[in-house]
């Protein structure tokens, strides 16, 4: 007698990297309140939320995993050795 094969369930138990990196409205508001909408490195306006913590390390993103940076600081942080060191230091301060 054949044993019925259970229907495969494509349910994810672990959040995907995208979900872990997702920034909720609440977290955005907290970030906005902390930075005042200005770059937290140079104080310029026109900011974007940058991840301090690498996304794959996160279960979910909190305000402590983020920093508001202007485009040039964001680029600097992500693409230069100094910038990455700087982010690492921030990560260590949590
Ligand atoms: Zn900046």
């Amino acid at each position: 007698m054949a044993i019925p094969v259970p229907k495969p369930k494509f349910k994810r138990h672990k959040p995907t990297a995208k979900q872990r990196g997702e920034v909720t409205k609440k977290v955005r508001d907290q970030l906005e309140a902390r930075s005042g909408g200005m770059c937290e490195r140079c104080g310029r306006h026109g900011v974007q939320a940058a991840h301090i913590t690498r996304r794959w390390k996160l279960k979910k993103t909190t305000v402590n995993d983020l920093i508001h940076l202007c485009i040039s600081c964001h680029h600097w942080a992500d693409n230069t050795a100094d910038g990455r060191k700087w982010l690492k230091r921030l990560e260590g301060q949590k």
Side-chain angles (χ1 to χ4, degrees), residues 10-88:
F10 294 106
K11 205 177 168 209
R12 285 179 181 274
H13 295 288
K14 289 180 188 165
T16 62
K18 192 166 170 256
Q19 285 167 333
R20 290 197 299 268
E22 193 177 44
V23 182
T24 61
K25 171 86 170 64
K26 191 183 149 206
V27 170
R28 275 182 195 284
D29 287 350
Q30 289 171 334
L31 185 62
E32 184 78 36
R34 191 182 72 198
S35 72
M38 290 186 293
C39 176
E40 293 188 69
R41 178 168 170 256
C42 74
R44 247 184 294 208
H45 284 276
V47 290
Q48 41 194 234
H51 272 85
I52 296 169
T53 317
R54 294 287 120 202
R55 284 173 199 226
W56 56 264
K57 285 189 191 171
L58 298 172
K59 286 198 186 71
K60 70 184 186 52
T61 301
T62 72
V63 71
N64 293 324
D65 301 314
L66 296 170
I67 187 164
H68 256 162
L69 292 176
C70 67
I71 290 164
S72 43
C73 290
H74 197 173
H75 182 85
W76 172 83
D78 276 350
N79 298 296
T80 69
D82 277 354
R84 281 192 287 263
K85 245 185 264 166
W86 182 73
L87 284 180
K88 261 221 152 70

